[in-house]
Amino acid sequence: MTQHDTVSPGDRQRRESGPLRCTVIVNPVRVTDIDERRAVVDAELAAAGWPAAHWVETTESDPGAGQARQAVADGYDVVFACGGDGTVRSCVEGLAGSDAALAVLPAGTGNLLAANLSLPDDPAEGVRLAVERGRRRMDVGEVDGQVFAVMAGMGFDAQLLDSASTKLKSVIGSPAYVVSALKHLRDRSMQVEIRIDDDAPMRRSARSVLVGNVGRLQGGVRLLPDAEPDNGQLEVAILAPRNLAHWVALAWGVLRRRKRVPNMEVLRGRHIVVTSERSEPREMDGDVIEPGRVLDVRVRPGALWLCVPQPDRTPDMAQRA
């Protein structure tokens, strides 16, 4: 077997010239200008000498994972996720563990992965980024067999996401999450047990426990500045404010990017299990999932090929952002 034969298809995307096959998975609910985006995408691909992309829409029953798996089975090299956070997360789930590369064409109000890794909002730039063949492997997290790229959480964060008005988000964008957060500042704390890897379990009283692959929340708030999406570990933030003054101190510390933030404890590990005394709201990458007493999170190191700016010599994928 030659050295060339041992190179994975993902590496070949970076090293070889020639056109690649692409598919675009688009959310028709979030993306209202599909025809215009299609014209832009196909024009950029044609300019690069690549064939026109195959387009497929998400459905209510399958928001992207099934379409992404089918794209892998059909031999597509690059999968564009065109939609909001839910569409991107579903495509990540379908592509994790494969050699197809994810390219993000953001739409909607969140776009957490794009914001964390400084991926372009403009669809033409997004296509050019994929054509330039910048590729990096990134970790993903897994909860209940579902995959996430940004963050999973239990408690306050899921509550504010669940109650944020869709209509208000469409009008004012990210500030809608602030309005929602104000409704839940005085909710009672969770009593949780937290186990990280093989360490002894810890008991905490917390308002929220967040497990992050990258560090930015909605609105560009950088909660976990040391989170790296390709180090094989996840950051764990335990938020434990007990009153309004504690919330103010916590928020001020995060916004000022203090190394130590009041009422917040940050840990790190590969396998994190959070167990609450009662069922709590839970979320992944900005999407609310089924409530539960347990948030069991594992990292899958290097499971996803992602299209990134080329050349990229930055050791930390998130540093550009």
Side-chain angles (χ1 to χ4, degrees):
M1 181 178 290
T2 66
Q3 182 178 0
H4 179 82
D5 290 332
T6 65
V7 177
S8 76
D11 279 318
R12 289 178 189 168
Q13 284 192 30
R14 296 186 298 136
R15 299 179 186 179
E16 295 183 355
S17 60
L20 300 178
R21 297 178 66 221
C22 305
T23 189
V24 180
I25 299 174
V26 60
N27 182 339
V29 175
R30 286 294 188 95
V31 182
T32 57
D33 58 345
I34 293 179
D35 290 341
E36 291 85 347
R37 284 180 180 255
R38 184 167 190 158
V40 169
V41 170
D42 287 349
E44 291 293 335
L45 291 176
W50 288 19
H54 170 66
W55 286 68
V56 60
E57 294 186 355
T58 63
T59 64
E60 187 175 351
S61 61
D62 192 340
Q67 294 88 336
R69 292 189 186 100
Q70 188 61 52
V72 172
D74 291 341
Y76 286 98
D77 303 296
V78 178
V79 174
F80 290 94
C82 186
D85 289 322
T87 305
V88 173
R89 191 203 67 76
S90 293
C91 289
V92 168
E93 183 171 308
L95 295 176
S98 79
D99 286 303
L102 173 71
V104 181
L105 298 179
T109 57
N111 299 302
L112 289 172
L113 184 61
N116 271 279
L117 300 181
S118 196
L119 303 177
D121 290 331
D122 180 69
E125 291 184 22
V127 176
R128 288 195 289 268
L129 183 150
V131 167
E132 290 169 358
R133 299 174 189 267
R135 303 287 188 271
R136 290 283 292 268
R137 278 197 179 275
M138 68 174 288
D139 308 332
V140 298
E142 185 173 303
V143 176
D144 298 343
Q146 300 181 73
V147 168
F148 67 91
V150 178
M151 201 170 292
M154 171 187 279
F156 173 77
D157 57 303
Q159 288 175 322
L160 74 88
L161 288 169
D162 194 29
S163 63
S165 165
T166 301
K167 182 178 180 180
L168 190 61
K169 285 191 292 183
S170 68
V171 174
I172 66 174
S174 295
Y177 295 111
V178 177
V179 175
S180 176
L182 293 174
K183 301 176 185 177
H184 296 286
L185 288 182
R186 298 185 183 276
D187 290 355
R188 61 176 178 157
S189 298
M190 307 181 293
Q191 303 304 313
V192 296
E193 178 186 275
I194 303 172
R195 182 184 290 271
I196 299 179
D197 298 332
D198 296 325
D199 296 342
M202 305 172 293
R203 298 285 300 179
R204 295 290 188 273
S205 177
R207 289 298 314 279
S208 183
V209 179
L210 290 154
V211 181
N213 192 32
V214 290
R216 288 178 186 261
L217 303 174
Q218 283 84 358
V221 176
R222 193 157 183 104
L223 181 72
L224 298 167
D226 295 328
E228 299 178 19
D230 54 357
N231 66 354
Q233 294 187 309
L234 300 167
E235 301 279 306
V236 184
I238 305 168
L239 278 58
R242 297 187 300 277
N243 53 49
L244 184 58
H246 287 175
W247 275 115
V248 171
L250 190 157
W252 183 248
V254 169
L255 292 173
R256 297 288 292 177
R257 299 189 178 185
R258 297 278 170 81
K259 192 66 178 177
R260 292 174 180 251
V261 176
N263 310 301
M264 185 173 85
E265 181 179 4
V266 179
L267 306 166
R268 176 180 288 180
R270 298 177 303 277
H271 182 201
I272 298 94
V273 181
V274 184
T275 305
S276 174
E277 292 183 347
R278 63 178 187 267
S279 181
E280 295 287 349
R282 304 185 303 163
E283 58 90 9
M284 290 197 306
D285 284 4
D287 277 348
V288 178
I289 60 175
E290 190 73 21
R293 291 185 56 244
V294 178
L295 185 70
D296 189 327
V297 189
R298 293 178 183 269
V299 68
R300 291 175 56 182
L304 180 73
W305 280 105
L306 183 69
C307 295
V308 297
Q310 167 76 10
D312 181 8
R313 301 182 181 91
T314 306
D316 180 1
M317 286 180 70
Q319 184 172 320
R320 292 185 311 274

